[in-house]
Amino acid sequence: MTRLLLVGPPGAGKGTQAAILSDTLGIPAISTGDIFRTNVANETPLGIKVKAIMAKGEYVPDDLTNEIVAHRLSEPDAAEGFLLDGYPRTIEQVNELDRSLGKDGHALDVVVLLEADIEDVVARLMKRAIEQGRVDDTEEIIRHRMSVYTEQTAPLIKLFDERNLVVRVDALGAVDNVTDRIVSALAGRGLASA
Ligand code: AP5
Ligand code: MG
């Protein structure tokens, strides 16, 4: 049973690695970005609320974000562990996740920090802009997303470090190599024998 977070700047490969690790570890990958994008595409009431915020590269308010994650984590497939991609990203979200896991006597097991230079990940996202056309993948918005990450999410790493949860992984290089690094780092903690 593994409760894992993937953290890192936009473009670090959270979504890419989450999909692979979800298969390897047999736990669901939960991406708040994907959940929001699906709601935007389907023009749900939530999607209508968050569309403009996401297009600007700002964070969705904590109350909305906490609510969708609480709902998703209450589904049966998450009872045996999960992999969170892109949540929590603010201190309020960390506090809420702690509270909701704590109710059942649970807590996070590990935080995988995907480390990369900003210019490398900007280049990746500029490439994805051409391939996928995500609305928040223009250079200006990508750089804004990087600053939002630096201001609001990067400081949380210290808190996870104080809990001795963080494993640091170089996010550059081939996708398979990054996966191998993550799996070895997890194995080093007695988690996730693939
Ligand atoms: P979210 O969807 O989470 O976006 P993000 O954090 O900006 O990250 P990305 O999805 O762009 O990058 P990634 O790290 O997943 O990398 P990926 O694998 O795609 O969030 C979007 C928005 O939703 C936020 O701005 C906010 O508005 C809202 N939101 C989400 N969560 C929230 C929260 N908790 N609170 C408030 N608001 C929230 O890879 C990127 C590209 O690189 C891809 O093209 C990929 O193919 C490629 N790539 C991946 N790995 C490699 C590799 N090793 N080598 C070469 N290319 C690679
Ligand atoms: Mg992603």
Side-chain angles (χ1 to χ4, degrees):
M1 213 188 271
T2 308
R3 295 185 175 81
L4 185 154
L5 305 188
L6 272 176
V7 182
K14 301 182 294 295
T16 302
Q17 296 298 331
I20 300 169
L21 293 169
S22 167
D23 278 350
T24 312
L25 307 178
I27 50 178
I30 300 172
S31 159
T32 40
D34 286 349
I35 296 171
F36 288 137
R37 275 185 291 279
T38 302
N39 277 275
V40 170
N42 294 334
E43 298 181 340
T44 66
L46 174 66
I48 291 163
K49 276 188 209 162
V50 303
K51 183 176 180 178
I53 301 171
M54 291 180 76
K56 283 190 284 192
E58 300 283 337
Y59 283 170
V60 171
D62 290 323
D63 56 346
L64 290 178
T65 308
N66 284 332
E67 194 181 320
I68 61 149
V69 175
H71 182 259
R72 180 64 188 84
L73 289 179
S74 71
E75 288 177 30
D77 66 336
E80 301 298 319
F82 51 76
L83 193 163
L84 284 167
D85 155 15
Y87 177 95
R89 293 195 202 211
T90 66
I91 186 68
E92 287 77 12
Q93 293 177 17
V94 172
N95 292 339
E96 176 56 23
L97 182 65
D98 285 346
R99 198 194 56 76
S100 80
L101 293 179
K103 270 193 312 198
D104 299 319
H106 297 150
L108 293 174
D109 297 308
V110 66
V111 175
V112 175
L113 173 60
L114 291 174
E115 296 186 304
D117 286 340
I118 296 291
E119 291 311 317
D120 288 311
V121 287
V122 170
R124 276 187 190 173
L125 294 179
M126 297 294 290
K127 187 162 169 248
R128 187 177 67 186
I130 299 161
E131 293 164 357
Q132 290 180 23
R134 226 171 91 170
V135 292
D136 57 350
D137 276 348
T138 66
E139 181 163 8
E140 187 191 351
I141 304 296
I142 290 168
R143 290 197 185 278
H144 182 61
R145 283 157 57 204
M146 297 294 166
S147 346
V148 172
Y149 172 81
T150 304
E151 282 160 25
Q152 298 195 49
T153 303
L156 305 177
I157 304 301
K158 182 167 177 280
L159 190 149
F160 292 132
D161 262 332
E162 284 162 6
R163 300 182 189 178
N164 192 28
L165 288 177
V166 183
V167 295
R168 289 174 163 73
V169 171
D170 178 1
L172 297 182
V175 170
D176 288 357
N177 291 345
V178 178
T179 307
D180 289 346
R181 287 176 207 141
I182 298 173
V183 171
S184 333
L186 294 177
R189 295 212 153 208
L191 297 165
S193 44

